[in-house]
Amino acid sequence: QKEVEQDPGPLSVPEGAIVSLNCTYSNSAFQYFMWYRQYSRKGPELLMYTYSSGNKEDGRFTAQVDKSSKYISLFIRDSQPSDSATYLCAMSDGSSNTGKLIFGQGTTLQVKP
Amino acid sequence: GAVVSQHPSRVICKSGTSVKIECRSLDFQATTMFWYRQFPKQSLMLMATSNEGSKATYEQGVEKDKFLINHASLTLSTLTVTSAHPEDSSFYICSASPLRNQETQYFGPGTRLLVL
């Protein structure tokens, strides 16, 4: 079993839809959670960074962390064709001092106009 | 803020030659830099972790003599692919962790290497 599981999709939605992207994980020591967006042939871009449980909102994006269920989500409201990309969740426990992140496989999202 | 650059963005080389890729944090100092490799439609594969002034830590299965990493300063790390072969063709991406927030990473735009 992988430490972080993420459905690779692809996920196709119409423009304006609410998108829900999710990851589950097995390591209860994870405390830092991130979502990255990666366009084709580009490096990943940090979208959201969350420490421990709770919600964080930034514009059309909301990140949720439920540590009791080992489940994190990224919601995109009013999705746009420009949101079409691969979304990677990443997490770390912060205790190893290596700074290494554990990534999900990435979910490919397509927003159709 | 938190911009990371990579150079070159694309490189084509002949088999047997060496290729150097630079990774720079432009507006912050990085305690640690990471080098990843990514194959089409796959997630990132961590190759090595480098800290300024010390030897890089390589992941299992990554040849340290093949992929030379030099972390000369808090803003610059280089990856040299030595004696490149066609199977080394890939997308190489670096990332950097800021001193102020060592739990996250900011990524460069990537370097596409094609070995003929």
Side-chain angles (χ1 to χ4, degrees), chain B residues 6-8 19-23 35 77-81 92 111:
Chain B
Q6 268 182 256
H7 179 79
V19 175
K20 180 186 282 189
I21 303 170
E22 287 189 353
C23 177
W35 287 96
S77 177
T78 59
L79 168 69
T80 301
V81 183
Y92 293 87
T111 296

Side-chain angles (χ1 to χ4, degrees), chain A residues 32 34 36 38 41-46 49 88 92-95 98-101 103-106, chain B residues 32 34 36 38 42-44 46 49 59 91 93 97 101-110 112:
Chain A
Y32 300 89
M34 282 138 275
Y36 289 88
Q38 185 176 23
R41 300 174 181 262
K42 302 289 184 183
E45 171 193 8
L46 180 64
Y49 169 79
L88 297 150
S92 76
D93 59 18
S95 64
T98 65
K100 286 169 64 171
L101 294 178
F103 285 89
Q105 187 176 351
Chain B
T32 308
F34 303 84
Y36 294 85
Q38 188 175 37
Q42 294 189 24
S43 191
L44 303 164
L46 179 65
T49 302
E59 295 299 299
F91 192 48
I93 314 175
S97 290
N101 185 1
Q102 298 177 38
E103 298 307 327
T104 193
Q105 296 177 25
Y106 294 91
F107 285 83
R112 191 159 301 278

Side-chain angles (χ1 to χ4, degrees), chain B residues 5-48:
Chain B
S5 71
Q6 268 182 256
H7 179 79
S9 59
R10 296 182 66 181
V11 58
I12 301 173
C13 69
K14 293 182 178 179
S15 185
T17 61
S18 294
V19 175
K20 180 186 282 189
I21 303 170
E22 287 189 353
C23 177
R24 293 180 184 272
S25 54
L26 298 183
D27 52 0
F28 65 97
Q29 291 184 321
T31 51
T32 308
M33 288 185 168
F34 303 84
W35 287 96
Y36 294 85
R37 187 172 178 177
Q38 188 175 37
F39 292 103
K41 300 189 184 300
Q42 294 189 24
S43 191
L44 303 164
M45 183 189 81
L46 179 65
M47 298 174 66

Side-chain angles (χ1 to χ4, degrees), chain A residues 56-76:
Chain A
K56 186 173 184 178
E57 187 174 322
D58 184 1
R60 297 185 295 112
F61 299 91
T62 300
Q64 286 187 352
V65 175
D66 182 349
K67 291 187 69 179
S68 62
S69 302
K70 299 191 184 69
Y71 188 89
I72 70 170
S73 301
L74 177 71
F75 297 96
I76 307 174

